[in-house]
Amino acid sequence: MGLGLLHFDGRVIDDDGRPLLESDDGEELMHVEPGIVVALGSRPMESPGTLYVTSRRVIWLSDADKGKGYAVDFLSLSLHTVSRDLETYPFPCIYTQIEIGDEDEESESSDSESNDDLELSKVTEMRLLPSNAGKFMFVNHVVSV
């Protein structure tokens, strides 16, 4: 898996819709958390989906659009923290910074914000928000994985 945030549409074709894991490489599912909203960069929040934390990466799959999902390898997460500062972002969340590899590339706020298509290779921030604030306790588990 390359550096940065990637599109992910690999779902197991059965009733649960879980992501296809790289089991040949030892990837295992560690935690599942439904009702998670994702916000990429400065773009608006996506509709709720399910967060899958594996032994190698974080995968988010949309509940509404079965073809939409994102994955980021743990090695690409240069920082992650619980953020409750409502002056920084209007909702409590897990804030992550994503390593995109080439330091010379323009930030995601320039080109990718100007057109409607999101260029995932330029996204350097991702926020994960529980749709129900009462479910925020999962954050301590996810951040410690």
Side-chain angles (χ1 to χ4, degrees):
M1 177 174 237
L3 280 178
L5 187 68
L6 303 171
H7 281 286
F8 185 90
D9 59 6
R11 294 179 190 249
V12 173
I13 306 189
D14 60 15
D15 293 335
D16 67 7
R18 292 181 177 221
L20 289 170
L21 302 181
E22 296 172 358
S23 56
D24 292 345
D25 291 335
E27 183 177 29
E28 297 177 38
L29 187 60
M30 307 300 284
H31 185 77
V32 178
E33 191 65 42
I36 301 298
V37 174
V38 67
L40 304 176
S42 59
R43 295 178 62 87
M45 293 183 287
E46 303 273 355
S47 60
T50 303
L51 184 72
Y52 299 90
V53 179
T54 77
S55 55
R56 298 182 58 189
R57 57 191 168 162
V58 174
I59 302 169
W60 177 86
L61 299 175
S62 172
D63 292 340
D65 181 352
K66 298 299 182 190
K68 182 181 274 188
Y70 308 110
V72 62
D73 190 277
F74 286 144
L75 296 176
S76 294
L77 293 175
S78 58
L79 172 115
H80 65 278
T81 188
V82 175
S83 175
R84 292 185 176 93
D85 182 358
L86 301 181
E87 291 180 22
T88 304
Y89 196 74
F91 306 101
C93 63
I94 296 177
Y95 170 78
T96 64
Q97 288 183 349
I98 301 170
E99 177 70 38
I100 60 173
D102 188 356
E103 301 275 333
D104 294 330
E105 286 189 35
E106 296 176 34
S107 73
E108 100 330 288
S109 62
S110 59
D111 227 9
S112 63
E113 296 300 319
S114 64
N115 71 36
D116 212 24
D117 293 330
L118 178 61
E119 294 181 45
L120 292 183
S121 65
K122 295 183 179 182
V123 171
T124 58
E125 296 179 323
M126 176 175 66
R127 290 176 175 83
L128 302 167
L129 305 90
S131 56
N132 176 348
K135 293 175 75 173
F136 206 84
M137 291 185 59
F138 91 94
V139 168
N140 291 330
H141 173 76
V142 173
V143 170
S144 66
V145 168

